[in-house]
Amino acid sequence: MTTTLPVLVVGATGSLGGKVVDELLGRGKNVRALVRPTTDASRLEKRGVEIARGDMLDLDSLVAAMTGADAVITTAAGYTRGGKNAHDIDTVGNANLAEAAHRSGIRRFVLTSILTSDRTPHVPHFWHKKLAEDKLVQLGVPFVALRPGAFLDQIATMAGNPIDKGRLIWMAKATVPLTFVRTSDLAAYLAAAVDADAANGERIDIGWDRPVSMREMADLMGKRAGRKIKVWAVPSVVVRAAGAVVGRFNPVVKDMAAMFGWFDTGRYVADTRRQEQLFGPVPTADDTLARYTDELRAVHHPQP
């Protein structure tokens, strides 16, 4: 679809949101970014991105940011960002986004959801995405929700560069396969979803050609890097105990423990058939891990 109206990106200063901006600009789209009043937006402005000052907890500011926009992509996630407003961002903030989209007549709203979010009421930050989807349905907002698996870039570097350290840290069973995504791949799909031939209300799983266990990931990356990579797996019983004890004082820990418990069930697996229909060939686990390992090696041993 050809239009000069901008696409509003919510979360543009984050890792995923920044890559979404790159993808949109690369596709010739005009981009507007929702940026909190105290955040430095100079890097975005230098690239020709229009800045809309606002906050997800301020409905009027969201309506103003969306007015005159063609579409919205939100990558905002209070859980991963942290801070005292994390819960409110994932609940009130997402509801406000839906309400603003309804009021401003957005053509398409693209939500970054989470794989299996509709099956996990016991994992709060997963379930909040399901509730965000429900709110968009309730208000009749034309939307598409992409439901990605676990972010490879975050998981693989929890203990630093695994090529440098020779290890991956995991808080679940190292032998249970699950779905992963690469942030840059997801960003491309989110940008493409603005004009994709998808029905309103579609929820689309995003992942690789197959689920991968942490042990297999370590083996594949180790072979590519030419060195042994171990998996340091924290026993599930320890993770659950931490969630029960520390979770009384820090709900994020309880949330995280519940997430890793869900990973252990083996049901965190994407059905990528619709992904392939809309966005082309699904990335293979082997190729994605090979490319990612090469990038980590370049950081570990930079070229002179």
Side-chain angles (χ1 to χ4, degrees):
M1 179 176 175
T2 303
T3 176
T4 58
L5 297 177
V7 176
L8 176 69
V9 178
V10 180
T13 56
S15 174
L16 174 58
K19 289 180 171 62
V20 169
V21 170
D22 293 341
E23 288 287 340
L24 289 168
L25 292 173
R27 292 162 187 263
K29 293 284 190 182
N30 289 322
V31 180
R32 180 186 293 172
L34 179 74
V35 179
R36 290 190 302 279
T38 56
T39 300
D40 180 7
S42 57
R43 289 179 65 184
L44 290 168
E45 287 179 307
K46 286 175 185 173
R47 304 192 61 202
V49 174
E50 179 188 350
I51 304 301
R53 294 289 178 178
D55 191 292
M56 286 175 65
L57 302 181
D58 178 355
L59 176 57
D60 288 342
S61 75
L62 298 182
V63 173
M66 291 186 198
T67 299
D70 172 52
V72 174
I73 301 173
T74 176
T75 63
Y79 172 84
T80 50
R81 196 184 80 192
K84 65 182 188 322
N85 289 331
H87 180 270
D88 288 345
I89 288 168
D90 286 341
T91 52
V92 178
N94 279 330
N96 282 346
L97 286 175
E99 178 63 34
H102 171 63
R103 292 189 191 181
S104 54
I106 288 294
R107 177 184 64 83
R108 173 167 284 175
F109 189 103
V110 181
L111 173 70
T112 307
S113 187
I114 295 177
L115 184 64
T116 70
S117 57
D118 56 329
R119 290 186 273 154
T120 48
H122 58 290
V123 185
H125 76 283
F126 280 29
W127 192 246
H128 292 153
K129 293 293 191 180
K130 188 265 187 193
L131 296 179
E133 295 174 2
D134 290 349
K135 188 68 175 179
L136 292 162
V137 171
Q138 176 196 337
L139 293 172
V141 176
F143 80 97
V144 173
L146 302 195
R147 290 178 167 178
F151 284 40
L152 169 68
D153 323 59
Q154 293 176 4
I155 296 290
T157 56
M158 281 197 296
N161 186 331
I163 310 303
D164 180 28
K165 303 290 186 182
R167 67 172 183 263
L168 294 164
I169 296 284
W170 192 233
M171 296 184 210
K173 295 172 184 171
T175 55
V176 177
L178 65 149
T179 290
F180 289 92
V181 297
R182 184 85 193 275
T183 303
S184 53
D185 292 337
L186 176 59
Y189 300 144
L190 288 164
V194 167
D195 297 318
D197 189 18
N200 285 338
E202 275 204 66
R203 284 83 155 174
I204 301 154
D205 288 3
I206 302 294
W208 298 342
D209 64 327
R210 60 187 172 86
V212 175
S213 72
M214 288 302 286
R215 186 150 295 160
E216 184 183 6
M217 181 185 294
D219 289 345
L220 289 170
M221 292 180 72
K223 285 177 185 173
R224 183 75 175 188
R227 69 164 302 180
K228 178 78 173 175
I229 297 178
K230 299 176 181 178
V231 180
W232 287 11
V234 179
S236 300
V237 64
V238 175
V239 176
R240 284 197 302 272
V245 177
V246 183
R248 283 183 289 179
F249 312 101
N250 186 344
V252 172
V253 174
K254 186 176 181 180
D255 192 338
M256 186 172 68
M259 175 182 70
F260 281 109
W262 176 246
F263 291 164
D264 272 348
T265 68
R267 288 181 280 173
Y268 192 71
V269 176
D271 176 347
T272 56
R273 288 175 293 181
R274 188 61 175 141
Q275 174 185 341
E276 183 165 27
Q277 290 171 354
L278 289 173
F279 306 123
V282 174
T284 68
D286 298 72
D287 178 60
T288 306
L289 286 169
R291 286 186 290 114
Y292 185 57
T293 302
D294 289 346
E295 289 180 22
L296 290 175
R297 288 172 72 191
V299 173
H300 180 51
H301 295 297
Q303 295 298 314

